[in-house]
Amino acid sequence: MSERSPDATAGAAPHLPANAIELKGLRKIYRRSHGQPPVEALKGVDLVVPRGSFFGLLGPNGAGKSTLINILAGLVVKSAGTATVCGVDIERNPRRARRTIGVVPQELNLDAFFTPRETLEFQAGLYGVPRRQRRTEELLRAVGLGDKADAYARSLSGGMRRRLLVAKALVHDPPVVILDEPTAGVDVELRRSLWEYMKGLNARGRTIVLTTHYLEEAERLCDRIAIIDRGTVVACDEKSALMRRLDEKELVVTVSPAVGELPEHLRRRSVVRDPEGRLRIRYHPSRTRVIELLDAVREAGFTIVDLVTREPDLEELFLRLTGKGAEGKR
Ligand code: ADP
Ligand code: MG
């Protein structure tokens, strides 16, 4: 039988628990200055992030995503509940908890008078990374700042600062990397390179958590997705399962001649005529191909002039998940 000593984790094969993050009943109430009512940003969140996952935390502005992350990062003090990172309780062992995660904050807060090299060296010092183990050059190159190592942070563009923050979060090679809206206002090129890099880290066993309000981004990258709305987790599932619950699109077809009476076989396919005289067809992409629907429209004697497909956006997704949540999973 193997002995399990919680402190014998510094060696080559650390005994890591199955979950990278575990939150139980996590609450946060922001008390505000006199007169203003307190804000309950997190209303008892239970959440598990399995180790090795690429986890998306989605939600609209004000949902509580940054609050949750800042609690894990030790920047915000929780009001109730527990949080552990790689089995380490953030309250009982804040220093060790902080070492197991690297957080890329939403705000671009960098010291304007530090160069990227100094920023990373200083951070490495803060985390007690011995000089010989530091990877300053490697990290700067990885985020495309190799040639900016000695430029002042204040001379860097927004995108460069964002990348520097990513490098800064990685100096101590944390097993869990958390990125808070890393692509808000960031160009496509940088987005892509950032994701490639994160995918590489994930492939090497790191757990990645990212918050975003872009459903598409989470859909492409994450294997698990939680949706948070007004301080409550309304869904948490494997991406594929969640997407199945969203398996609905709408096809809007402009036809000629304009639609009068709907032929019977179109009505059977739940086609409706909208006020503008177009055909609206709801369908399940996993079961029906658009081409079949278009064939049906042509067979009814219509010529297709234009078509648009609509996907449920995050807003609709919320409505559906909050509406269906009770009978859905539980
Ligand atoms: P998100 O990151 O999902 O946009 P936040 O965690 O930033 O959400 O905010 C959640 C709620 O908490 C919002 O209503 C926000 O206004 C409020 N909030 C966040 N930070 C503070 C603070 N320092 N003081 C008071 N209220 C705050
Ligand atoms: Mg936020």
Side-chain angles (χ1 to χ4, degrees):
M1 287 255 264
S2 63
E3 283 228 343
R4 274 209 266 153
S5 154
D7 287 318
T9 52
H15 180 93
L16 291 171
N19 292 324
I21 297 171
E22 278 183 24
L23 310 178
K24 287 197 192 108
L26 195 65
R27 283 183 80 201
K28 175 63 193 180
I29 297 164
Y30 289 108
R31 311 255 167 234
R32 297 190 296 167
S33 49
H34 30 254
Q36 293 180 296
V39 176
E40 192 172 12
L42 296 175
K43 300 173 182 164
V45 167
D46 295 323
L47 193 69
V48 165
V49 176
R51 186 154 57 87
S53 57
F54 204 129
F55 194 98
L57 183 62
L58 269 84
N61 276 332
K65 305 181 296 293
S66 293
T67 299
L68 192 157
I69 284 171
N70 291 338
I71 289 173
L72 292 172
L75 301 170
V76 166
V77 179
K78 64 187 165 64
S79 307
T82 60
T84 62
V85 189
C86 292
V88 180
D89 187 295
I90 62 158
E91 194 169 33
R92 267 184 274 159
N93 221 329
R95 277 172 59 90
R96 247 181 77 202
R98 230 170 292 157
R99 267 167 207 249
T100 60
I101 57 175
V103 177
V104 183
Q106 185 170 1
E107 310 298 332
L108 294 172
N109 55 345
L110 282 163
D111 191 317
F113 296 101
F114 275 24
T115 66
R117 189 197 307 280
E118 288 164 352
T119 302
L120 297 197
E121 286 292 323
F122 185 74
Q123 183 80 354
L126 218 58
Y127 278 87
V129 181
R131 262 180 210 290
R132 288 177 45 214
Q133 283 174 30
R134 292 188 189 173
R135 303 174 302 145
T136 302
E137 302 297 327
E138 179 197 323
L139 281 171
L140 287 175
R141 256 180 282 121
V143 297
L145 290 176
D147 59 343
K148 295 281 178 191
D150 300 311
Y152 282 124
R154 63 162 186 258
S155 72
L156 303 178
S157 71
M160 290 174 185
R161 288 177 203 208
R162 179 76 63 196
R163 281 181 276 168
L164 179 55
L165 283 173
V166 172
K168 188 179 165 193
L170 299 173
V171 293
H172 55 300
D173 195 15
V176 182
V177 181
I178 306 180
L179 304 107
D180 195 0
E181 307 257 3
T183 52
V186 155
D187 65 72
V188 180
E189 209 48 47
L190 169 56
R191 230 179 252 209
R192 216 169 281 151
S193 67
L194 191 57
W195 295 142
E196 283 313 310
Y197 192 63
M198 290 303 147
K199 277 199 247 174
L201 284 181
N202 184 239
R204 276 174 273 138
R206 307 296 183 276
T207 306
I208 315 285
V209 178
L210 75 97
T211 78
T212 178
H213 49 257
Y214 301 116
L215 179 60
E216 194 202 323
E217 192 163 87
E219 195 179 336
R220 253 196 338 175
L221 291 161
C222 301
D223 49 40
R224 273 187 86 77
I225 293 177
I227 295 181
I228 181 167
D229 187 24
R230 279 168 288 174
T232 305
V233 174
V234 295
C236 179
D237 215 330
E238 278 180 25
K239 176 185 66 185
S240 52
L242 208 56
M243 289 302 147
R244 245 177 279 129
R245 286 158 75 181
L246 292 177
D247 182 26
E248 196 168 272
K249 277 195 179 184
E250 191 178 47
L251 184 65
V252 183
V253 192
T254 309
V255 293
S256 157
V259 185
E261 183 83 351
L262 264 187
E264 174 59 24
H265 83 278
L266 286 186
R267 239 180 293 153
R268 268 205 314 269
R269 279 190 177 264
S270 19
V271 178
V272 297
R273 178 185 174 279
D274 75 6
E276 286 84 48
R278 297 173 302 186
L279 299 171
R280 287 185 175 263
I281 313 171
R282 282 193 175 246
Y283 67 105
H284 302 285
S286 68
R287 278 179 267 158
T288 312
R289 292 186 309 147
V290 171
I291 195 80
E292 293 168 29
L293 300 172
L294 295 179
D295 284 346
V297 170
R298 274 198 219 97
E299 276 161 31
F302 293 113
T303 302
I304 294 165
V305 178
D306 194 11
L307 57 95
V308 188
T309 59
R310 286 187 60 241
E311 303 197 33
D313 59 18
L314 204 50
E315 209 103 326
E316 287 179 56
L317 165 64
F318 280 120
L319 288 178
R320 271 197 244 168
L321 289 172
T322 44
K324 283 181 189 167
E327 86 228 29
K329 273 259 114 177
R330 294 173 142 217

